[in-house]
Amino acid sequence: MQRARLTKVIVLAAAGVISLGACSARTGGDSGGDSGAPQAAAPSAAANAADPAGDGKAQCAPTSIAYAGTINGANAALGQNILKGAKLAVDQHNKANPGCQVKLAEFDTEGTPDKAPGIVTQIVNTPGIIGVIGLPFSGESKAAGNIFNSAGLVAVTPSATNPSLAQNGWKTFFRALGNDNAQGPAAAKFITGELKANKVCVIEDDSEYGTGLAASTIKALGDKASCQDKVKTKQTDFSAVVNKIKGEKPDAIFYSGYYQEAAPFAQQLNDAGVKAKFVGPDGVKDDLFVKGAGDAAANAYFTCPCVPADQFTKFTDAYKAATGVDPGTYSPEAYDVATILLKGIDAGKKDRAGLLDFVKTYDGQGITKHFKWDDHGELSATTVWTYKVENGKIVRNTEIK
């Protein structure tokens, strides 16, 4: 929940990690199950969506913004999606505006709460950086958000969803999506409504993200949350949890965590003959889950406070031309975040205080949504979508309303 030459190597390496953790990754099935609802139409980009190219007349001294997040760590694919989306926006801006060249500096936190503070300290001690896209994960955001705040450096996360992040009094924190107080109830509504599950096992990992989202989902499920259990980051053997779930015979399983553990977990559930629908959140919604989960992926669904990019034609075509792959989870949100920072620079914001004030008062349309933040850095309007695996690919399913 992270450069074109490195991406293929990183993806293959990550897939190898999942494959080893799952003992043997097998080919996924042909299609996902039927959620009981027709596939919702993907929204098109609004005609007035902000364009990072602007009018091509921007003038500025050489300026830097930064991406801070995982590039090579666990669950790096989620960070790579964000980095590539942000880089596309910066490249389009710079190509169109020869008089205003903006550098995108890249900082790898590996997505961990122990490494992020040191990396963020490096960023804030680099005076030329006046805005940040990140951090992607909730745990690292909790550990390092105060450092951004103390430096007055605006940081807009495209993907960190733990609700408590907006309650720390940080004036520099902004979230470009809905938080888990929206995703948890939406997941519960989807599982009990469209999937018609009456017994749901909720399994959480030990991350800030996993525990927070699980709590929100369990609360929304009420007495339909018939069993609960915990797993650990980097765990590969889930036999004890699988046996417990098998005994409970749930209709659905909600896994609150990331794809690195979700893939072998789903595969081991499948190997044990568990037939329950498998539902993962945005941290699981990645092609590497599909590869790692093998046969089990055909029975998987995902919830995500992210908008399908299917019909963002201009963006998706440019993204694929630049990277060689389709946009991933949070690629378009990162593109929107980078565009907002670039618009601030084009408007003459030359320092951290100016760009922070620009974001704080921003009110404009992006390709994914309308962006306007409250005093806590939360958006005024958000949405949650569901996705499913079909023919070995993650495709949109329905919008939860």
Side-chain angles (χ1 to χ4, degrees):
M1 97 217 220
Q2 283 135 10
R3 303 161 245 171
R5 292 194 302 268
L6 290 177
T7 300
K8 185 175 181 181
V9 174
I10 292 168
V11 169
L12 288 174
V17 170
I18 291 177
S19 178
L20 288 172
C23 298
S24 60
R26 296 185 290 279
T27 304
D30 290 335
S31 64
D34 182 5
S35 71
Q39 184 184 47
S44 299
N48 62 338
D51 186 338
D55 61 9
K57 300 176 181 179
Q59 297 290 321
C60 69
T63 307
S64 294
I65 58 176
Y67 163 76
T70 183
I71 299 174
N72 297 301
N75 301 297
L78 297 172
Q80 285 283 343
N81 294 340
I82 292 168
L83 175 57
K84 287 184 282 191
K87 189 175 187 301
L88 176 61
V90 173
D91 288 347
Q92 290 179 343
H93 173 272
N94 290 345
K95 183 178 180 180
N97 294 274
C100 183
Q101 295 295 287
V102 178
K103 177 184 177 182
L104 178 65
E106 301 175 15
F107 292 85
D108 188 4
T109 66
E110 297 185 11
T112 64
D114 56 338
K115 187 169 183 178
I119 298 299
V120 170
T121 298
Q122 292 179 36
I123 295 171
V124 302
N125 287 338
T126 306
I129 296 173
I130 65 172
V132 176
I133 300 144
L135 298 156
F137 297 161
S138 295
E140 60 179 347
S141 298
K142 179 180 179 181
N146 63 309
I147 304 173
F148 285 130
N149 190 62
S150 296
L153 179 57
V154 61
V156 189
T157 176
S159 58
T161 54
N162 190 286
S164 67
L165 295 173
Q167 305 301 320
N168 291 302
W170 300 334
K171 302 301 182 183
T172 56
F173 174 83
F174 297 86
R175 195 187 330 251
L177 72 168
N179 66 37
D180 289 333
N181 284 338
Q183 185 173 192
K189 184 176 182 180
F190 169 69
I191 292 168
T192 59
E194 290 187 31
L195 297 186
K196 305 187 185 308
N198 289 310
K199 295 182 64 178
V200 185
C201 284
V202 179
I203 311 301
E204 64 186 77
D205 72 7
D206 54 2
S207 68
E208 190 76 15
Y209 162 70
T211 56
L213 177 56
S216 176
T217 307
I218 290 167
K219 181 178 179 181
L221 284 169
D223 58 10
K224 292 188 177 181
S226 59
C227 74
Q228 302 165 32
D229 212 332
K230 303 177 186 293
V231 299
K232 295 184 179 299
T233 302
K234 298 183 180 179
Q235 185 172 333
T236 58
D237 181 358
F238 300 93
S239 55
V241 182
V242 168
N243 287 334
K244 178 177 178 178
I245 293 172
K246 191 172 183 178
E248 292 284 343
K249 298 181 179 178
D251 303 309
I253 298 158
F254 184 75
Y255 181 80
S256 186
Y258 293 100
Y259 69 78
Q260 187 176 41
E261 292 77 31
F265 176 50
Q267 189 184 82
Q268 289 171 39
L269 285 164
N270 188 65
D271 290 347
V274 176
K275 301 300 183 184
K277 293 288 193 297
F278 186 93
V279 183
D282 49 319
V284 178
K285 181 185 165 284
D286 192 88
D287 287 341
L288 290 181
F289 168 82
V290 179
K291 290 181 180 180
D295 299 337
N299 205 34
Y301 294 88
F302 313 92
T303 62
C304 186
C306 55
V307 181
D310 304 29
Q311 300 303 312
F312 300 155
T313 309
K314 183 179 177 181
F315 165 76
T316 54
D317 289 350
Y319 187 100
K320 192 163 186 176
T323 67
V325 296
D326 291 325
T329 304
Y330 296 127
S331 295
E333 283 79 6
Y335 181 85
D336 275 342
V337 170
T339 298
I340 292 169
L341 298 182
L342 292 164
K343 281 176 65 67
I345 293 168
D346 289 356
K349 308 307 177 184
K350 303 176 182 179
D351 56 23
R352 293 176 178 180
L355 193 55
L356 172 59
D357 186 63
F358 180 85
V359 173
K360 187 182 302 182
T361 58
Y362 189 80
D363 186 351
Q365 181 67 40
I367 60 171
T368 63
K369 61 181 70 71
H370 190 88
F371 288 89
K372 182 179 181 180
W373 286 282
D374 65 19
D375 292 342
H376 298 287
E378 299 278 31
L379 289 171
S380 54
T382 61
T383 186
V384 179
W385 278 74
T386 66
Y387 299 79
K388 62 183 178 180
V389 177
E390 192 171 85
N391 298 321
K393 293 285 187 180
I394 297 173
V395 299
R396 60 184 154 83
N397 186 41
T398 57
E399 183 179 3
I400 305 173
K401 297 179 180 180

